[in-house]
Amino acid sequence: MAKRFLSVLAGALIAPALVMKAYGASSSVIPDERLHSFCQKAGCDYQVFYKYFIPNRDRFCHERDVILKQPDKLAAIKQVVNLSSDYNLPVTVAIVPIMESSLNPQASAGNYKNAAKGFWQFKPATARDMGLVVNDRVDERLDAEKSTRAGLKYLQWLEKKFEGNHDLAVLAFHVGIGKLTTTMASTGLSNPWYLSQIASEKRPSQDYLLKYYSYTVTLMGHGCQ
């Protein structure tokens, strides 16, 4: 099952490269051929990604190994991968619930009324917008399949909102579309790598796109010893 997922994930990244400018890098880095090839296909900013990934490689590789040893987490990933094509999304969207909830369908951000919950960490209003029932008796955010379909539906909507830019859609899923569009309007920026850096300015290690691509590259089997 793990090998099947890795092969599907790897195949999905055979796409034209997107040209992006590096930020915060005054000098070039020494290319790692596998990582460089990955970034060319996936459209990530190689210099920025490399400088983040290499110091954090062991952590992401360890987390990959933990995931691949747990049948329930593999089943959850497989479910997202299998449903992704229904929403015209790349299989790499399976990384989103890994980052949002560690693939825990019962995850909760807190005990307060507006707390994000479930596999995809939906807040109540967004969950309802995506067709989930959330009230005092029923909370479909905690239903793995229903919330996954809602999560993919939301990502599909975000991709259309950002004219097919998958990175902006993924970033908006996490930080909120209102916050992201406000930042874009106030800064005049549209490069998702710049915007992800701004969103994580107070916690650089939590840069969402860098984490997204770090999980992707390790689950593909690249970058780990």
Side-chain angles (χ1 to χ4, degrees):
M1 186 185 296
K3 289 183 178 179
R4 179 187 173 193
F5 170 67
L6 295 178
S7 64
V8 171
L9 189 57
L13 289 171
I14 301 175
L18 300 177
V19 179
M20 295 183 178
K21 293 172 63 179
Y23 61 81
S26 58
S27 60
S28 298
V29 298
I30 300 172
D32 176 299
E33 289 304 320
R34 289 195 303 172
L35 294 182
H36 191 257
S37 176
F38 160 78
C39 275
Q40 282 187 314
K41 292 173 182 176
C44 71
D45 188 319
Y46 177 70
Q47 290 198 43
V48 177
F49 174 72
Y50 187 89
K51 288 186 175 182
Y52 172 85
F53 178 70
I54 294 304
N56 293 287
R57 185 204 318 248
D58 289 346
R59 174 168 66 89
F60 283 103
C61 290
H62 172 71
E63 291 183 20
R64 178 203 66 170
D65 292 342
V66 170
I67 289 171
L68 296 181
K69 291 177 182 177
Q70 298 184 56
D72 59 330
K73 293 188 183 297
L74 283 174
I77 289 173
K78 182 180 178 181
Q79 181 184 55
V80 180
V81 168
N82 288 341
L83 290 173
S84 62
S85 61
D86 292 348
Y87 298 86
N88 297 314
L89 292 168
V91 296
T92 51
V93 293
I95 304 299
V96 174
I98 293 176
M99 296 196 298
E100 293 292 334
S101 67
S102 297
L103 297 170
N104 177 6
Q106 303 299 310
S108 176
N111 295 320
Y112 53 97
K113 187 175 182 179
N114 198 41
K117 289 185 178 181
F119 205 50
W120 297 80
Q121 288 294 281
F122 274 123
K123 288 191 174 182
T126 307
R128 294 187 187 103
D129 286 344
M130 293 300 109
L132 295 177
V133 176
V134 180
N135 56 42
D136 293 338
R137 293 180 299 173
V138 179
D139 192 340
E140 290 185 338
R141 293 176 297 174
L142 305 180
D143 183 301
E145 182 173 352
K146 289 182 179 179
S147 65
T148 289
R149 288 191 176 277
L152 295 174
K153 180 181 178 181
Y154 187 40
L155 279 167
Q156 182 186 49
W157 181 83
L158 288 169
E159 278 211 0
K160 291 179 180 177
K161 178 74 174 178
F162 291 109
E163 300 179 344
N165 191 309
H166 180 67
D167 289 344
L168 285 177
V170 167
L171 186 58
F173 188 98
H174 179 66
V175 304
I177 188 170
K179 181 177 180 179
L180 183 59
T181 53
T182 297
T183 301
M184 292 173 72
S186 64
T187 62
L189 296 172
S190 60
N191 185 314
W193 292 84
Y194 283 91
L195 293 164
S196 188
Q197 184 189 40
I198 292 171
S200 60
E201 186 174 7
K202 294 181 180 179
R203 300 175 67 194
S205 66
Q206 299 303 307
D207 187 304
Y208 202 71
L209 281 185
L210 289 175
K211 289 180 66 178
Y212 180 77
Y213 279 102
S214 293
Y215 276 115
T216 300
V217 76
T218 51
L219 281 168
M220 283 177 59
H222 298 330
C224 298
Q225 302 298 326

